[in-house]
Amino acid sequence: MRLSYVLRHFALAYENVPQGLIGYSDSLQPIVVADAAGSFFQEKEPYPGTPNYRDWVGQRVPFFFDAQPAAPLLTMQRGRVSINADLISAAFYLLSGWQEYFSDERDRHGRFPYAASVQKQYGFVTLPVVNYYFDVLKRAIEHVTGQALKPRRWNGAAFAAFISHDIDELRSAWKAPAKAALLQRSTRRFGALLWQHFTQPDAWDNLESVAAATARYGGCSTFFILPQSRPGADGTPNADYQLSAGLRQRLKALAQKSCEINLHGSIGTATDPLQLDHEARKLQAGCGGLRFHYLRWEPRLTPAKIEAVGGFAYDSTLGFAEHFGFRHSYCQPFYPFNFASGTAYAFVEIPLQVMDATLHHPSYLQLQGPEILPALQPMLAEIERFGGVASILWHNDHFDPANTTTGPQQFAEIMEYLRERGAAFLTGNRIVAEL
Ligand SMILES: [Zn+2]
């Protein structure tokens, strides 16, 4: 079960992967992986033992289920390879999201917290560790076959970029300055802002210019639209706008320009399939992509609900709100693991690595504008190295020129970098179509 789930993803990560070469010690395959998980996967503990660190292609990589730390990672003979750490179990553990399924830790939004993750504990959130494990398997296969294994490509490019925008607010740009004017007892300024609010479009009502900011680099934006304006049952706000006929018309025009319009599931939809289905129907224009508002995701329920409602080709919720990086330690799209059936779900997860709000927020990181691209570059280089998908969420309100920390300038710097490095800018469905 572990082996087939992991090898299925390995086969998606490289071109023309030969089958049937890798197995556990009792097998006849030429590449034998040490079986070191013991009874871990029969029990329901969220965390395995401390990883052993090994150097691999100049990188210090944590290896879980590594029972022979003194042994070399690979023992190569003619036509045969022994892998002396249980890479299959380690890859399965991370890729399946085992920790969050079996951990009871949740934050106030019902999310598995970064603070409870092995990525935080061992400091590897920006390292796609599963891709490093795959690199070891690749080396073993190349030894056995004598043929180089090439990373998969995206529309001909070495890596892809998935640029998305969650649309939570279209009408609230005036609120913060108006509040500030009130606090300063500046009635004139407050009046002017109020007048502006009622007579002119809001600075955040900017979907077309957001799409243009992505198109400037040859990309198409993927939008996630929130069709619920009532707050969630717990009081968490949803949209500040209605899905009016006028807005529908604009979304249609954006779709005609090759943007993708998808559902941003409101508070509650991550655990309530009826509500999720209702919102998907309400949006109509849905292209089969999904991301939950506030990145809400209950690992024990949400994937099954997505599958039950049906019609979703992919989800793109799975990143940590608190830190940029790889929640499943993997930089490619993957099929979430179904713990009830022991197989993979049919929908694709395009994991989220960077959210604007993560980078500068009282509860998250406090990076300054000029620090943002340099902070992300090593992680983006890892994605490029392994032919992955750089998934970047920039909310429409962050395109407000008044935002100089995680605003249009920082977005442009990231886009410029990705373009220079030769990323293929693809919408979610284009990515799914290439799998
Ligand atoms: Zn949202």
Side-chain angles (χ1 to χ4, degrees), residues 124 126-133 326 329-331 382-383 386:
F124 63 89
T126 57
L127 206 64
V129 169
V130 174
N131 295 91
Y132 278 90
Y133 298 161
F326 308 103
S329 300
Y330 194 52
C331 69
E382 295 287 345
I383 297 169
F386 292 112

Side-chain angles (χ1 to χ4, degrees), residues 224-247:
F224 291 95
I225 303 295
L226 191 52
Q228 175 60 266
S229 55
R230 254 179 300 129
D234 60 2
T236 306
N238 280 312
D240 78 341
Y241 59 92
Q242 306 280 340
L243 200 54
S244 64
L247 178 56

